[in-house]
Amino acid sequence: MKKLILPIVEIEDILNLKAGEIVQLSGIIYTGRDAAHKRFIDSIEKGIDLPFNIDGQGIYYVGPTPSKPGEIIGSAGPTTSYRMDDLTIPLLEKGLKVMIGKGKRSEKVIAGMKEFGAVYLAAIGGAGAYISDAIKECDIIAYEDLGAEAVRRLRVENLKLTVAIDSKGNNIYESGRKQFEEK
């Protein structure tokens, strides 16, 4: 199991990851789903700074449930990632290095990952309570009006994820399927 700390300082940390590997992610990640991504792209198009420095950073596609008293965050399971595909390339161009979610990505996003040196990490759908245990801090930093889709700054420790698509375009969704089709 490889350890990965965000934000990414050394690009080799991303380039050396291989599809199918398990990583333990620690550091700062940001949340963002459909509505937040639309605002990110609108800001980029207008030349307005994003609400956080995206260079070397990771975005977790999640809309957590409200936290219970005394908890940092509610259930924090991943959102289906392809919903952000039409809004991803400008973020990769700005330095986004890690995307976390569930499900396949488009060929356009995979090409962008290869061009800009980024990875897509898969979180287990239905494991939101487990994932929330790795979240040690949670603060809303932007778009509070979006409720569950507001942008949050999360500090995570040892969040276990799978490299679904590496920076070379190797893709467990394709290789895994081929492996079982051959049998």
Side-chain angles (χ1 to χ4, degrees), residues 107-161:
E107 288 301 320
K108 182 177 178 181
V109 168
I110 294 170
M113 291 168 55
K114 290 165 61 176
E115 181 178 354
F116 298 106
V119 295
Y120 172 53
L121 305 177
I124 300 168
Y130 163 75
I131 292 169
S132 66
D133 287 344
I135 299 171
K136 305 304 180 186
E137 293 176 17
C138 174
D139 298 298
I140 295 175
I141 63 159
Y143 317 143
E144 190 167 357
D145 61 302
L146 296 178
E149 291 198 42
V151 176
R152 289 168 171 78
R153 179 187 178 275
L154 306 178
R155 184 176 62 81
V156 299
E157 289 179 8
N158 301 320
L159 175 58
K160 290 186 179 84
L161 303 161

Side-chain angles (χ1 to χ4, degrees), residues 85-106:
D85 281 1
D86 290 343
L87 306 166
T88 298
I89 300 302
L91 300 174
L92 292 171
E93 290 171 345
K94 291 280 186 188
L96 177 66
K97 293 298 177 200
V98 175
M99 296 162 283
I100 305 165
K102 67 178 182 181
K104 293 182 178 182
R105 303 308 299 264
S106 70

